[in-house]
Amino acid sequence: MGTRPGRRAAADDRGESLLEVLIAVTIMGLAIVAIVGGLVTVVLISGIHRQQATAGATVRDYGEAIESAVAGGGYATCATAASYASPAGFGTPSGYAKSVVAGSLRYWSGGAWQTGCTTDTGLQQLTIQVASDDGRATERLVVVLRKPCRLSDSPC
């Protein structure tokens, strides 16, 4: 039997109040904002990690290219940073720049690394770097170069 007009519904027939619906919508909205914020952070961090991995691999390739150039006869006595800045056969990926860190070239004196070259003993140290164009990833590598000793060279 239905209710007659003007009569109140039983207590178990009540619907949700407007306040309850507003609270539920607010809680769901906050949860969605937190989830979306977390996803945005994951995407950004993933992009930075990818750039760092690319820069790390590229700086190692750069170091190997310099070492290959030196092994092939490209050792420069009392070298400057420009001597090793552009080894043959090496190119950086787009969005990255390579460089020899200014002031990083050192020369072995027989007992310690020196910043000035008075006598080149055949051992040099330099720091190279690869950086992303947006500055979010920079990787450095210290490379030690040894003058190759061949039969045709004077005693090393």
Side-chain angles (χ1 to χ4, degrees):
M1 306 204 196
T3 58
R4 288 190 271 164
R7 220 171 146 184
R8 300 181 93 193
D12 59 344
D13 289 341
R14 289 185 4 191
E16 308 297 327
S17 72
L18 180 59
L19 182 60
E20 291 170 329
V21 171
L22 285 174
I23 291 172
V25 168
T26 302
I27 290 171
M28 288 183 355
L30 289 173
I32 289 172
V33 167
I35 290 169
V36 169
L39 289 174
V40 167
T41 301
V42 166
V43 169
L44 288 175
I45 296 302
S46 175
I48 292 171
H49 184 261
R50 183 177 50 253
Q51 284 182 321
Q52 289 173 333
T54 301
T58 304
V59 78
R60 287 188 298 277
D61 290 345
Y62 185 27
E64 289 174 8
I66 292 171
E67 289 174 346
S68 293
V70 167
Y75 183 86
T77 304
C78 288
T80 63
S83 302
Y84 301 119
S86 298
F90 177 76
T92 55
S94 64
Y96 293 86
K98 65 174 174 39
S99 63
V100 175
V101 176
S104 70
L105 197 56
R106 306 221 185 294
Y107 309 91
W108 184 250
S109 67
W113 292 106
Q114 306 293 321
T115 55
C117 182
T118 53
T119 303
D120 192 330
T121 62
L123 202 57
Q124 300 171 354
Q125 178 188 55
L126 67 146
T127 303
I128 56 175
Q129 86 174 12
V130 172
S132 63
D133 290 343
D134 62 6
R136 295 190 325 184
T138 301
E139 295 291 328
R140 288 186 172 194
L141 181 67
V142 176
V143 180
V144 176
L145 303 173
R146 183 179 58 85
K147 180 179 180 180
C149 292
R150 296 180 182 84
L151 294 175
S152 59
D153 294 336
S154 61
C156 298

